[in-house]
Amino acid sequence: MTISLQYSHITVTNPEESLAFYRDALGLDVLNDVESGGHHWITLGVAGREGTEIVLSDPYAGRSQSDGDAIQELVAKGVLTNVVFRTEDDLDGVFERVRATGAEVLQEPKDQPWGPRDCAFRDPSGNMVRILQSTAQPQNA
């Protein structure tokens, strides 16, 4: 049996505002854009490349008012979602492109003791977004 992650939801306060961050700053492609019942779901990924996708949606999309209120509060605190992206070869370039959008910088590019070099931002809703560049691992003999 083979199993893989298809997509993961990121709850945002304003899907359209967050779209600019994920599409324009990070360079993801819009794969699907659905509006229903006053709510908006935007699926992003890399066009033509199978792999994990993210879905941006508001706190009330498909949820009760009380559940949406609770999630909205967590999003506002910036404690709900942490998403990690990987770049193959240009962390510093990605960092500068994202910073140029005015995104809140949480951490400039830094070599981590556990292996990768990474940086961190907050998206427009306050979710933490980390971007890492894996360091070359020694080959097994």
Side-chain angles (χ1 to χ4, degrees):
M1 175 176 81
T2 302
I3 189 167
S4 62
L5 181 64
Q6 178 64 37
Y7 58 84
S8 183
H9 281 265
I10 299 175
T11 304
V12 296
T13 54
N14 182 325
E16 290 80 17
E17 180 182 57
S18 294
L19 175 60
F21 176 82
Y22 289 95
R23 181 193 58 210
D24 302 338
L26 294 181
L28 297 175
D29 299 308
V30 175
L31 304 176
N32 200 5
D33 191 335
V34 176
E35 290 190 51
S36 177
H39 301 287
H40 200 174
W41 292 265
I42 303 170
T43 304
L44 297 115
V46 178
R49 185 175 177 194
E50 286 216 18
T52 305
E53 301 166 357
I54 59 170
V55 178
L56 305 178
S57 63
D58 71 81
Y60 300 93
R63 300 179 181 97
S64 70
Q65 181 70 39
S66 61
D67 287 348
D69 289 346
I71 292 171
Q72 173 74 26
E73 185 177 327
L74 292 172
V75 170
K77 290 180 179 180
V79 298
L80 185 60
T81 299
N82 180 358
V83 63
V84 180
F85 291 95
R86 179 180 64 229
T87 180
E88 298 298 325
D89 58 3
D90 189 19
L91 180 65
D92 294 319
V94 173
F95 175 81
E96 291 303 329
R97 186 174 70 230
V98 176
R99 178 165 59 179
T101 69
E104 179 186 353
V105 175
L106 297 176
Q107 175 198 304
E108 293 196 13
K110 174 182 175 180
D111 292 324
Q112 299 293 355
W114 55 88
R117 176 172 169 77
D118 72 356
C119 62
F121 295 91
R122 289 214 186 278
D123 75 6
S125 297
N127 297 306
M128 184 191 312
V129 175
R130 296 191 81 77
I131 306 166
L132 67 82
Q133 180 175 333
S134 298
T135 56
Q137 301 296 319
Q139 301 266 333
N140 290 337

